[in-house]
mmCIF file with all atom_site columns, all heavy atoms in Angstrom:
data_model
loop_
_atom_site.group_PDB
_atom_site.id
_atom_site.type_symbol
_atom_site.label_atom_id
_atom_site.label_alt_id
_atom_site.label_comp_id
_atom_site.label_asym_id
_atom_site.label_entity_id
_atom_site.label_seq_id
_atom_site.pdbx_PDB_ins_code
_atom_site.Cartn_x
_atom_site.Cartn_y
_atom_site.Cartn_z
_atom_site.occupancy
_atom_site.B_iso_or_equiv
_atom_site.pdbx_formal_charge
_atom_site.auth_seq_id
_atom_site.auth_comp_id
_atom_site.auth_asym_id
_atom_site.auth_atom_id
_atom_site.pdbx_PDB_model_num
ATOM 1   N N   . GLY A 1 1  ? 144.799 79.055 78.371  1.00 0.00 ? 1  GLY A N   1
ATOM 2   C CA  . GLY A 1 1  ? 143.598 79.523 77.613  1.00 0.00 ? 1  GLY A CA  1
ATOM 3   C C   . GLY A 1 1  ? 142.305 79.000 78.232  1.00 0.00 ? 1  GLY A C   1
ATOM 4   O O   . GLY A 1 1  ? 141.177 79.231 77.646  1.00 0.00 ? 1  GLY A O   1
ATOM 5   N N   . CYS A 1 2  ? 142.431 78.322 79.356  1.00 0.00 ? 2  CYS A N   1
ATOM 6   C CA  . CYS A 1 2  ? 141.213 77.741 79.910  1.00 0.00 ? 2  CYS A CA  1
ATOM 7   C C   . CYS A 1 2  ? 140.545 78.754 80.931  1.00 0.00 ? 2  CYS A C   1
ATOM 8   O O   . CYS A 1 2  ? 141.223 79.474 81.724  1.00 0.00 ? 2  CYS A O   1
ATOM 9   C CB  . CYS A 1 2  ? 141.579 76.480 80.795  1.00 0.00 ? 2  CYS A CB  1
ATOM 10  S SG  . CYS A 1 2  ? 140.242 75.578 81.505  1.00 0.00 ? 2  CYS A SG  1
ATOM 11  N N   . ARG A 1 3  ? 139.327 78.925 80.789  1.00 0.00 ? 3  ARG A N   1
ATOM 12  C CA  . ARG A 1 3  ? 138.511 79.867 81.659  1.00 0.00 ? 3  ARG A CA  1
ATOM 13  C C   . ARG A 1 3  ? 138.546 79.298 83.116  1.00 0.00 ? 3  ARG A C   1
ATOM 14  O O   . ARG A 1 3  ? 138.170 78.193 83.309  1.00 0.00 ? 3  ARG A O   1
ATOM 15  C CB  . ARG A 1 3  ? 137.081 79.942 81.140  1.00 0.00 ? 3  ARG A CB  1
ATOM 16  C CG  . ARG A 1 3  ? 136.198 80.863 82.009  1.00 0.00 ? 3  ARG A CG  1
ATOM 17  C CD  . ARG A 1 3  ? 134.758 80.831 81.384  1.00 0.00 ? 3  ARG A CD  1
ATOM 18  N NE  . ARG A 1 3  ? 133.812 81.406 82.258  1.00 0.00 ? 3  ARG A NE  1
ATOM 19  C CZ  . ARG A 1 3  ? 132.486 81.298 82.117  1.00 0.00 ? 3  ARG A CZ  1
ATOM 20  N NH1 . ARG A 1 3  ? 131.988 80.544 81.110  1.00 0.00 ? 3  ARG A NH1 1
ATOM 21  N NH2 . ARG A 1 3  ? 131.702 81.877 82.968  1.00 0.00 ? 3  ARG A NH2 1
ATOM 22  N N   . ILE A 1 4  ? 138.944 80.099 84.047  1.00 0.00 ? 4  ILE A N   1
ATOM 23  C CA  . ILE A 1 4  ? 138.822 79.762 85.440  1.00 0.00 ? 4  ILE A CA  1
ATOM 24  C C   . ILE A 1 4  ? 137.477 80.128 85.981  1.00 0.00 ? 4  ILE A C   1
ATOM 25  O O   . ILE A 1 4  ? 137.121 81.214 86.013  1.00 0.00 ? 4  ILE A O   1
ATOM 26  C CB  . ILE A 1 4  ? 139.988 80.394 86.199  1.00 0.00 ? 4  ILE A CB  1
ATOM 27  C CG1 . ILE A 1 4  ? 141.319 80.047 85.686  1.00 0.00 ? 4  ILE A CG1 1
ATOM 28  C CG2 . ILE A 1 4  ? 139.849 80.025 87.780  1.00 0.00 ? 4  ILE A CG2 1
ATOM 29  C CD1 . ILE A 1 4  ? 142.468 80.868 86.425  1.00 0.00 ? 4  ILE A CD1 1
ATOM 30  N N   . LEU A 1 5  ? 136.724 79.062 86.338  1.00 0.00 ? 5  LEU A N   1
ATOM 31  C CA  . LEU A 1 5  ? 135.358 79.277 86.784  1.00 0.00 ? 5  LEU A CA  1
ATOM 32  C C   . LEU A 1 5  ? 135.283 79.733 88.133  1.00 0.00 ? 5  LEU A C   1
ATOM 33  O O   . LEU A 1 5  ? 134.329 80.524 88.615  1.00 0.00 ? 5  LEU A O   1
ATOM 34  C CB  . LEU A 1 5  ? 134.534 78.004 86.597  1.00 0.00 ? 5  LEU A CB  1
ATOM 35  C CG  . LEU A 1 5  ? 134.499 77.316 85.156  1.00 0.00 ? 5  LEU A CG  1
ATOM 36  C CD1 . LEU A 1 5  ? 133.709 76.065 85.278  1.00 0.00 ? 5  LEU A CD1 1
ATOM 37  C CD2 . LEU A 1 5  ? 133.876 78.385 84.231  1.00 0.00 ? 5  LEU A CD2 1
ATOM 38  N N   . GLY A 1 6  ? 136.348 79.373 88.939  1.00 0.00 ? 6  GLY A N   1
ATOM 39  C CA  . GLY A 1 6  ? 136.302 79.836 90.358  1.00 0.00 ? 6  GLY A CA  1
ATOM 40  C C   . GLY A 1 6  ? 137.228 78.957 91.138  1.00 0.00 ? 6  GLY A C   1
ATOM 41  O O   . GLY A 1 6  ? 137.998 78.148 90.680  1.00 0.00 ? 6  GLY A O   1
ATOM 42  N N   . ALA A 1 7  ? 137.153 79.200 92.499  1.00 0.00 ? 7  ALA A N   1
ATOM 43  C CA  . ALA A 1 7  ? 138.077 78.442 93.456  1.00 0.00 ? 7  ALA A CA  1
ATOM 44  C C   . ALA A 1 7  ? 137.162 77.837 94.584  1.00 0.00 ? 7  ALA A C   1
ATOM 45  O O   . ALA A 1 7  ? 136.278 78.504 95.035  1.00 0.00 ? 7  ALA A O   1
ATOM 46  C CB  . ALA A 1 7  ? 139.143 79.319 93.966  1.00 0.00 ? 7  ALA A CB  1
ATOM 47  N N   . VAL A 1 8  ? 137.582 76.704 95.001  1.00 0.00 ? 8  VAL A N   1
ATOM 48  C CA  . VAL A 1 8  ? 136.961 76.005 96.190  1.00 0.00 ? 8  VAL A CA  1
ATOM 49  C C   . VAL A 1 8  ? 137.986 76.249 97.356  1.00 0.00 ? 8  VAL A C   1
ATOM 50  O O   . VAL A 1 8  ? 139.122 75.684 97.305  1.00 0.00 ? 8  VAL A O   1
ATOM 51  C CB  . VAL A 1 8  ? 136.668 74.627 96.000  1.00 0.00 ? 8  VAL A CB  1
ATOM 52  C CG1 . VAL A 1 8  ? 136.253 73.947 97.251  1.00 0.00 ? 8  VAL A CG1 1
ATOM 53  C CG2 . VAL A 1 8  ? 135.587 74.518 94.977  1.00 0.00 ? 8  VAL A CG2 1
ATOM 54  N N   . LEU A 1 9  ? 137.680 76.828 98.445  1.00 0.00 ? 9  LEU A N   1
ATOM 55  C CA  . LEU A 1 9  ? 138.481 77.003 99.606  1.00 0.00 ? 9  LEU A CA  1
ATOM 56  C C   . LEU A 1 9  ? 138.093 75.647 100.560 1.00 0.00 ? 9  LEU A C   1
ATOM 57  O O   . LEU A 1 9  ? 136.942 75.632 100.982 1.00 0.00 ? 9  LEU A O   1
ATOM 58  C CB  . LEU A 1 9  ? 138.229 78.272 100.341 1.00 0.00 ? 9  LEU A CB  1
ATOM 59  C CG  . LEU A 1 9  ? 139.152 78.426 101.634 1.00 0.00 ? 9  LEU A CG  1
ATOM 60  C CD1 . LEU A 1 9  ? 140.603 78.389 101.176 1.00 0.00 ? 9  LEU A CD1 1
ATOM 61  C CD2 . LEU A 1 9  ? 138.847 79.822 102.179 1.00 0.00 ? 9  LEU A CD2 1
ATOM 62  N N   . ASN A 1 10 ? 139.050 74.820 100.646 1.00 0.00 ? 10 ASN A N   1
ATOM 63  C CA  . ASN A 1 10 ? 138.807 73.581 101.295 1.00 0.00 ? 10 ASN A CA  1
ATOM 64  C C   . ASN A 1 10 ? 139.439 73.423 102.630 1.00 0.00 ? 10 ASN A C   1
ATOM 65  O O   . ASN A 1 10 ? 140.390 74.101 102.951 1.00 0.00 ? 10 ASN A O   1
ATOM 66  C CB  . ASN A 1 10 ? 139.203 72.454 100.356 1.00 0.00 ? 10 ASN A CB  1
ATOM 67  C CG  . ASN A 1 10 ? 138.468 71.111 100.568 1.00 0.00 ? 10 ASN A CG  1
ATOM 68  O OD1 . ASN A 1 10 ? 137.342 71.190 101.118 1.00 0.00 ? 10 ASN A OD1 1
ATOM 69  N ND2 . ASN A 1 10 ? 139.026 70.001 100.249 1.00 0.00 ? 10 ASN A ND2 1
ATOM 70  N N   . MET A 1 11 ? 139.022 72.555 103.474 1.00 0.00 ? 11 MET A N   1
ATOM 71  C CA  . MET A 1 11 ? 139.647 72.148 104.724 1.00 0.00 ? 11 MET A CA  1
ATOM 72  C C   . MET A 1 11 ? 139.731 73.285 105.713 1.00 0.00 ? 11 MET A C   1
ATOM 73  O O   . MET A 1 11 ? 140.716 73.551 106.309 1.00 0.00 ? 11 MET A O   1
ATOM 74  C CB  . MET A 1 11 ? 141.053 71.652 104.518 1.00 0.00 ? 11 MET A CB  1
ATOM 75  C CG  . MET A 1 11 ? 141.070 70.380 103.643 1.00 0.00 ? 11 MET A CG  1
ATOM 76  S SD  . MET A 1 11 ? 142.708 69.684 103.382 1.00 0.00 ? 11 MET A SD  1
ATOM 77  C CE  . MET A 1 11 ? 142.350 68.178 102.466 1.00 0.00 ? 11 MET A CE  1
ATOM 78  N N   . ILE A 1 12 ? 138.566 74.032 105.836 1.00 0.00 ? 12 ILE A N   1
ATOM 79  C CA  . ILE A 1 12 ? 138.530 75.122 106.700 1.00 0.00 ? 12 ILE A CA  1
ATOM 80  C C   . ILE A 1 12 ? 138.347 74.682 108.157 1.00 0.00 ? 12 ILE A C   1
ATOM 81  O O   . ILE A 1 12 ? 137.588 73.769 108.421 1.00 0.00 ? 12 ILE A O   1
ATOM 82  C CB  . ILE A 1 12 ? 137.406 76.060 106.324 1.00 0.00 ? 12 ILE A CB  1
ATOM 83  C CG1 . ILE A 1 12 ? 137.812 76.900 105.125 1.00 0.00 ? 12 ILE A CG1 1
ATOM 84  C CG2 . ILE A 1 12 ? 137.093 76.997 107.566 1.00 0.00 ? 12 ILE A CG2 1
ATOM 85  C CD1 . ILE A 1 12 ? 136.754 77.828 104.666 1.00 0.00 ? 12 ILE A CD1 1
ATOM 86  N N   . GLN A 1 13 ? 139.056 75.231 109.053 1.00 0.00 ? 13 GLN A N   1
ATOM 87  C CA  . GLN A 1 13 ? 138.881 74.960 110.443 1.00 0.00 ? 13 GLN A CA  1
ATOM 88  C C   . GLN A 1 13 ? 138.462 76.298 111.174 1.00 0.00 ? 13 GLN A C   1
ATOM 89  O O   . GLN A 1 13 ? 139.144 77.316 111.228 1.00 0.00 ? 13 GLN A O   1
ATOM 90  C CB  . GLN A 1 13 ? 140.280 74.432 111.170 1.00 0.00 ? 13 GLN A CB  1
ATOM 91  C CG  . GLN A 1 13 ? 140.621 73.113 110.685 1.00 0.00 ? 13 GLN A CG  1
ATOM 92  C CD  . GLN A 1 13 ? 141.952 72.660 111.310 1.00 0.00 ? 13 GLN A CD  1
ATOM 93  O OE1 . GLN A 1 13 ? 143.025 73.146 110.998 1.00 0.00 ? 13 GLN A OE1 1
ATOM 94  N NE2 . GLN A 1 13 ? 141.847 71.703 112.250 1.00 0.00 ? 13 GLN A NE2 1
ATOM 95  N N   . SER A 1 14 ? 137.288 76.145 111.721 1.00 0.00 ? 14 SER A N   1
ATOM 96  C CA  . SER A 1 14 ? 136.730 77.338 112.455 1.00 0.00 ? 14 SER A CA  1
ATOM 97  C C   . SER A 1 14 ? 136.379 76.937 113.825 1.00 0.00 ? 14 SER A C   1
ATOM 98  O O   . SER A 1 14 ? 136.424 75.844 114.207 1.00 0.00 ? 14 SER A O   1
ATOM 99  C CB  . SER A 1 14 ? 135.448 77.863 111.665 1.00 0.00 ? 14 SER A CB  1
ATOM 100 O OG  . SER A 1 14 ? 135.848 78.188 110.378 1.00 0.00 ? 14 SER A OG  1
ATOM 101 N N   . THR A 1 15 ? 135.927 77.883 114.572 1.00 0.00 ? 15 THR A N   1
ATOM 102 C CA  . THR A 1 15 ? 135.581 77.729 116.004 1.00 0.00 ? 15 THR A CA  1
ATOM 103 C C   . THR A 1 15 ? 134.281 77.013 116.131 1.00 0.00 ? 15 THR A C   1
ATOM 104 O O   . THR A 1 15 ? 133.358 77.335 115.421 1.00 0.00 ? 15 THR A O   1
ATOM 105 C CB  . THR A 1 15 ? 135.450 79.046 116.773 1.00 0.00 ? 15 THR A CB  1
ATOM 106 O OG1 . THR A 1 15 ? 136.652 79.746 116.514 1.00 0.00 ? 15 THR A OG1 1
ATOM 107 C CG2 . THR A 1 15 ? 135.179 78.823 118.182 1.00 0.00 ? 15 THR A CG2 1
ATOM 108 N N   . LYS A 1 16 ? 134.256 75.895 116.864 1.00 0.00 ? 16 LYS A N   1
ATOM 109 C CA  . LYS A 1 16 ? 133.023 75.174 117.176 1.00 0.00 ? 16 LYS A CA  1
ATOM 110 C C   . LYS A 1 16 ? 131.946 76.189 117.651 1.00 0.00 ? 16 LYS A C   1
ATOM 111 O O   . LYS A 1 16 ? 132.181 77.070 118.449 1.00 0.00 ? 16 LYS A O   1
ATOM 112 C CB  . LYS A 1 16 ? 133.284 74.100 118.177 1.00 0.00 ? 16 LYS A CB  1
ATOM 113 C CG  . LYS A 1 16 ? 132.688 72.783 117.723 1.00 0.00 ? 16 LYS A CG  1
ATOM 114 C CD  . LYS A 1 16 ? 133.148 71.628 118.623 1.00 0.00 ? 16 LYS A CD  1
ATOM 115 C CE  . LYS A 1 16 ? 132.952 70.313 117.960 1.00 0.00 ? 16 LYS A CE  1
ATOM 116 N NZ  . LYS A 1 16 ? 133.329 69.158 118.801 1.00 0.00 ? 16 LYS A NZ  1
ATOM 117 N N   . GLY A 1 17 ? 130.783 75.979 117.185 1.00 0.00 ? 17 GLY A N   1
ATOM 118 C CA  . GLY A 1 17 ? 129.682 76.822 117.579 1.00 0.00 ? 17 GLY A CA  1
ATOM 119 C C   . GLY A 1 17 ? 129.454 77.942 116.629 1.00 0.00 ? 17 GLY A C   1
ATOM 120 O O   . GLY A 1 17 ? 128.372 78.603 116.569 1.00 0.00 ? 17 GLY A O   1
ATOM 121 N N   . SER A 1 18 ? 130.360 78.274 115.827 1.00 0.00 ? 18 SER A N   1
ATOM 122 C CA  . SER A 1 18 ? 130.290 79.324 114.799 1.00 0.00 ? 18 SER A CA  1
ATOM 123 C C   . SER A 1 18 ? 129.312 78.905 113.733 1.00 0.00 ? 18 SER A C   1
ATOM 124 O O   . SER A 1 18 ? 129.170 77.712 113.417 1.00 0.00 ? 18 SER A O   1
ATOM 125 C CB  . SER A 1 18 ? 131.675 79.529 114.195 1.00 0.00 ? 18 SER A CB  1
ATOM 126 O OG  . SER A 1 18 ? 131.563 80.354 113.031 1.00 0.00 ? 18 SER A OG  1
ATOM 127 N N   . TYR A 1 19 ? 128.672 79.849 113.095 1.00 0.00 ? 19 TYR A N   1
ATOM 128 C CA  . TYR A 1 19 ? 127.693 79.652 112.032 1.00 0.00 ? 19 TYR A CA  1
ATOM 129 C C   . TYR A 1 19 ? 128.355 78.924 110.962 1.00 0.00 ? 19 TYR A C   1
ATOM 130 O O   . TYR A 1 19 ? 127.834 78.054 110.266 1.00 0.00 ? 19 TYR A O   1
ATOM 131 C CB  . TYR A 1 19 ? 127.039 80.915 111.634 1.00 0.00 ? 19 TYR A CB  1
ATOM 132 C CG  . TYR A 1 19 ? 126.156 80.762 110.416 1.00 0.00 ? 19 TYR A CG  1
ATOM 133 C CD1 . TYR A 1 19 ? 124.816 80.266 110.674 1.00 0.00 ? 19 TYR A CD1 1
ATOM 134 C CD2 . TYR A 1 19 ? 126.479 81.051 109.069 1.00 0.00 ? 19 TYR A CD2 1
ATOM 135 C CE1 . TYR A 1 19 ? 123.938 80.119 109.547 1.00 0.00 ? 19 TYR A CE1 1
ATOM 136 C CE2 . TYR A 1 19 ? 125.625 80.877 108.025 1.00 0.00 ? 19 TYR A CE2 1
ATOM 137 C CZ  . TYR A 1 19 ? 124.388 80.335 108.316 1.00 0.00 ? 19 TYR A CZ  1
ATOM 138 O OH  . TYR A 1 19 ? 123.462 80.179 107.260 1.00 0.00 ? 19 TYR A OH  1
ATOM 139 N N   . TYR A 1 20 ? 129.760 79.204 110.687 1.00 0.00 ? 20 TYR A N   1
ATOM 140 C CA  . TYR A 1 20 ? 130.395 78.673 109.570 1.00 0.00 ? 20 TYR A CA  1
ATOM 141 C C   . TYR A 1 20 ? 131.378 77.609 110.073 1.00 0.00 ? 20 TYR A C   1
ATOM 142 O O   . TYR A 1 20 ? 132.262 77.202 109.324 1.00 0.00 ? 20 TYR A O   1
ATOM 143 C CB  . TYR A 1 20 ? 131.197 79.749 108.838 1.00 0.00 ? 20 TYR A CB  1
ATOM 144 C CG  . TYR A 1 20 ? 130.326 80.673 108.101 1.00 0.00 ? 20 TYR A CG  1
ATOM 145 C CD1 . TYR A 1 20 ? 130.269 82.076 108.450 1.00 0.00 ? 20 TYR A CD1 1
ATOM 146 C CD2 . TYR A 1 20 ? 129.526 80.271 107.146 1.00 0.00 ? 20 TYR A CD2 1
ATOM 147 C CE1 . TYR A 1 20 ? 129.483 82.916 107.682 1.00 0.00 ? 20 TYR A CE1 1
ATOM 148 C CE2 . TYR A 1 20 ? 128.689 81.169 106.444 1.00 0.00 ? 20 TYR A CE2 1
ATOM 149 C CZ  . TYR A 1 20 ? 128.647 82.408 106.729 1.00 0.00 ? 20 TYR A CZ  1
ATOM 150 O OH  . TYR A 1 20 ? 127.800 83.354 106.080 1.00 0.00 ? 20 TYR A OH  1
ATOM 151 N N   . TYR A 1 21 ? 131.087 76.945 111.194 1.00 0.00 ? 21 TYR A N   1
ATOM 152 C CA  . TYR A 1 21 ? 132.104 75.918 111.629 1.00 0.00 ? 21 TYR A CA  1
ATOM 153 C C   . TYR A 1 21 ? 131.928 74.719 110.659 1.00 0.00 ? 21 TYR A C   1
ATOM 154 O O   . TYR A 1 21 ? 130.972 74.212 110.290 1.00 0.00 ? 21 TYR A O   1
ATOM 155 C CB  . TYR A 1 21 ? 131.520 75.419 113.095 1.00 0.00 ? 21 TYR A CB  1
ATOM 156 C CG  . TYR A 1 21 ? 132.340 74.231 113.483 1.00 0.00 ? 21 TYR A CG  1
ATOM 157 C CD1 . TYR A 1 21 ? 133.680 74.287 113.846 1.00 0.00 ? 21 TYR A CD1 1
ATOM 158 C CD2 . TYR A 1 21 ? 131.670 72.970 113.550 1.00 0.00 ? 21 TYR A CD2 1
ATOM 159 C CE1 . TYR A 1 21 ? 134.390 73.140 114.109 1.00 0.00 ? 21 TYR A CE1 1
ATOM 160 C CE2 . TYR A 1 21 ? 132.374 71.865 113.878 1.00 0.00 ? 21 TYR A CE2 1
ATOM 161 C CZ  . TYR A 1 21 ? 133.701 71.923 114.215 1.00 0.00 ? 21 TYR A CZ  1
ATOM 162 O OH  . TYR A 1 21 ? 134.394 70.765 114.610 1.00 0.00 ? 21 TYR A OH  1
ATOM 163 N N   . ARG A 1 22 ? 133.139 74.185 110.369 1.00 0.00 ? 22 ARG A N   1
ATOM 164 C CA  . ARG A 1 22 ? 133.347 72.967 109.660 1.00 0.00 ? 22 ARG A CA  1
ATOM 165 C C   . ARG A 1 22 ? 134.542 72.155 110.234 1.00 0.00 ? 22 ARG A C   1
ATOM 166 O O   . ARG A 1 22 ? 135.411 72.751 110.630 1.00 0.00 ? 22 ARG A O   1
ATOM 167 C CB  . ARG A 1 22 ? 133.643 73.194 108.183 1.00 0.00 ? 22 ARG A CB  1
ATOM 168 C CG  . ARG A 1 22 ? 132.651 74.056 107.494 1.00 0.00 ? 22 ARG A CG  1
ATOM 169 C CD  . ARG A 1 22 ? 131.254 73.305 107.310 1.00 0.00 ? 22 ARG A CD  1
ATOM 170 N NE  . ARG A 1 22 ? 130.314 74.220 106.695 1.00 0.00 ? 22 ARG A NE  1
ATOM 171 C CZ  . ARG A 1 22 ? 129.647 75.100 107.333 1.00 0.00 ? 22 ARG A CZ  1
ATOM 172 N NH1 . ARG A 1 22 ? 129.658 75.181 108.597 1.00 0.00 ? 22 ARG A NH1 1
ATOM 173 N NH2 . ARG A 1 22 ? 128.735 75.930 106.651 1.00 0.00 ? 22 ARG A NH2 1
ATOM 174 N N   . SER A 1 23 ? 134.443 70.843 110.249 1.00 0.00 ? 23 SER A N   1
ATOM 175 C CA  . SER A 1 23 ? 135.562 70.052 110.645 1.00 0.00 ? 23 SER A CA  1
ATOM 176 C C   . SER A 1 23 ? 136.608 69.953 109.618 1.00 0.00 ? 23 SER A C   1
ATOM 177 O O   . SER A 1 23 ? 136.358 70.260 108.461 1.00 0.00 ? 23 SER A O   1
ATOM 178 C CB  . SER A 1 23 ? 135.093 68.641 111.046 1.00 0.00 ? 23 SER A CB  1
ATOM 179 O OG  . SER A 1 23 ? 134.528 67.940 109.881 1.00 0.00 ? 23 SER A OG  1
ATOM 180 N N   . LYS A 1 24 ? 137.806 69.633 110.054 1.00 0.00 ? 24 LYS A N   1
ATOM 181 C CA  . LYS A 1 24 ? 138.907 69.482 109.057 1.00 0.00 ? 24 LYS A CA  1
ATOM 182 C C   . LYS A 1 24 ? 138.549 68.379 108.093 1.00 0.00 ? 24 LYS A C   1
ATOM 183 O O   . LYS A 1 24 ? 138.042 67.376 108.301 1.00 0.00 ? 24 LYS A O   1
ATOM 184 C CB  . LYS A 1 24 ? 140.190 69.015 109.920 1.00 0.00 ? 24 LYS A CB  1
ATOM 185 C CG  . LYS A 1 24 ? 141.431 68.963 108.932 1.00 0.00 ? 24 LYS A CG  1
ATOM 186 C CD  . LYS A 1 24 ? 142.697 68.552 109.744 1.00 0.00 ? 24 LYS A CD  1
ATOM 187 C CE  . LYS A 1 24 ? 143.895 68.529 108.857 1.00 0.00 ? 24 LYS A CE  1
ATOM 188 N NZ  . LYS A 1 24 ? 145.012 68.236 109.559 1.00 0.00 ? 24 LYS A NZ  1
ATOM 189 N N   . GLY A 1 25 ? 138.886 68.729 106.817 1.00 0.00 ? 25 GLY A N   1
ATOM 190 C CA  . GLY A 1 25 ? 138.705 67.741 105.712 1.00 0.00 ? 25 GLY A CA  1
ATOM 191 C C   . GLY A 1 25 ? 137.278 68.036 104.993 1.00 0.00 ? 25 GLY A C   1
ATOM 192 O O   . GLY A 1 25 ? 137.132 67.511 103.982 1.00 0.00 ? 25 GLY A O   1
#
């Protein structure tokens, strides 16, 4: 019965230099 506000997608690994690049963790 709890409202799900949303989800956090965590620990993304992307290509270095990409606009959305993030390190692990």
Side-chain angles (χ1 to χ4, degrees):
C2 184
R3 175 185 171 191
I4 301 176
L5 302 179
V8 173
L9 184 60
N10 205 24
M11 299 182 178
I12 286 181
Q13 290 180 288
S14 300
T15 306
K16 227 171 197 181
S18 165
Y19 179 77
Y20 291 118
Y21 170 71
R22 304 291 178 272
S23 62
K24 184 177 181 181

